[in-house]
Amino acid sequence: KAGVTQTPRYLIKTRGQQVTLSCSPISGHRSVSWYQQTPGQGLQFLFEYFSETQRNKGNFPGRFSGRQFSNSRSEMNVSTLELGDSALYLCASSSRGQIEKLFFGSGTQLSVL
Amino acid sequence: SQQGEEDPQALSIQEGENATMNCSYKTSINNLQWYRQNSGRGLVHLILIRSNEREKHSGRLRVTLDTSKKSSSLLITASRAADTASYFCATDQYNFNKFYFGSGTKLNVKP
């Protein structure tokens, strides 16, 4: 069974631009969560989707948004990029409606210049 | 912040020694998990312990949970160079679908 796939692996953008990151969960997994990891703030929860519905949202500004498609693939979008958005963005999937174990992708390393 | 804190922040040991890292959290939980992250990669789930459990074992891993002190510890016995990674605890804090991660312990196992 293929693992969680995130694309692209690396991304370089400039301030003010927008970016879309993609995540394909493990086949059969219906829940997809997104996390931002930075050296200063650690791992912070962005949002979680289950069956195309956002069930939970973290404390991030509205510039951060996401969606989930009927095949469970998910995208997250960051508009009007700021330098502080530079981070490793991690996607994780889970098979259950009540999540216990997260399966993480390798992440997308975003650098904002 | 609702995130946990891990202690120590960094740990350096020789191969064959045991490694112990601790995690403290702030609110009541349903379960606590430990994850490993190799440099700049995704996290890998290691073990889950429920709030009504006190100790759990998986291979060379031993996890304890003290809900009265809101703390957990992860013990890796007979460590190997391949155990070199960062280790994070994660708690759900009564919301099953949202996890709070600790700040992590960076473990270096010298061959």
Side-chain angles (χ1 to χ4, degrees):
Chain A
K1 217 177 204 182
V4 178
T5 303
Q6 289 190 247
T7 57
R9 182 72 180 96
Y10 300 96
L11 204 49
I12 299 175
K13 292 284 186 179
T14 56
R15 277 185 303 172
Q17 287 187 310
Q18 76 165 20
V19 66
T20 299
L21 312 182
S22 179
C23 172
S24 293
I26 291 172
S27 178
H29 285 194
R30 295 164 64 189
S31 169
V32 173
S33 303
W34 289 89
Y35 288 83
Q36 181 197 65
Q37 185 177 26
T38 59
Q41 298 296 317
L43 275 145
Q44 295 194 86
F45 174 79
L46 280 156
F47 26 66
E48 185 255 344
Y49 288 87
F50 182 82
S51 294
E52 301 179 69
T53 300
Q54 186 182 87
R55 290 198 297 191
N56 288 283
K57 190 176 189 304
N59 297 322
F60 279 81
R63 300 186 296 107
F64 291 82
S65 63
R67 58 178 177 168
Q68 187 180 33
F69 302 96
S70 58
N71 62 357
S72 293
R73 191 178 69 85
S74 177
E75 288 181 348
M76 70 162 279
N77 183 274
V78 188
S79 62
T80 320
L81 283 165
E82 300 177 359
L83 295 178
D85 297 333
S86 294
L88 180 65
Y89 289 88
L90 292 162
C91 163
S93 73
S94 176
S95 60
R96 299 178 59 183
Q98 180 177 303
I99 297 172
E100 286 195 334
K101 180 177 174 179
L102 293 169
F103 294 83
F104 281 86
S106 295
T108 293
Q109 184 68 53
L110 172 65
S111 297
V112 182
L113 306 177
Chain B
S1 167
Q2 293 176 297
Q3 292 179 328
E5 291 296 323
E6 270 141 302
D7 167 55
Q9 287 190 328
L11 182 59
S12 186
I13 59 174
Q14 293 292 139
E15 212 166 20
E17 294 181 337
N18 295 341
T20 300
M21 48 206 92
N22 306 294
C23 165
S24 61
Y25 55 92
K26 296 183 179 179
T27 66
S28 297
I29 61 172
N30 287 302
N31 63 60
L32 183 144
Q33 304 179 52
W34 286 89
Y35 287 82
R36 184 188 74 224
Q37 183 179 37
N38 289 90
S39 182
R41 310 296 291 186
L43 282 75
V44 175
H45 182 269
L46 294 175
I47 194 166
L48 178 151
I49 186 165
R50 300 186 192 283
S51 58
N52 61 355
E53 297 175 313
R54 291 296 166 260
E55 188 171 311
K56 204 160 182 181
H57 296 255
S58 176
R60 294 184 297 113
L61 305 180
R62 172 179 169 255
V63 169
T64 61
L65 178 64
D66 187 333
T67 53
S68 66
K69 295 181 180 177
K70 292 187 171 58
S71 68
S72 174
S73 68
L74 171 67
L75 168 67
I76 303 174
T77 60
S79 62
R80 306 165 182 166
D83 295 329
T84 295
S86 292
Y87 292 81
F88 296 87
C89 66
T91 55
D92 64 347
Q93 299 180 359
Y94 279 139
N95 183 326
F96 289 110
N97 303 315
K98 181 176 179 178
F99 292 88
Y100 298 95
F101 283 82
S103 48
T105 292
K106 196 165 187 177
L107 174 64
N108 180 33
V109 182
K110 294 175 281 188

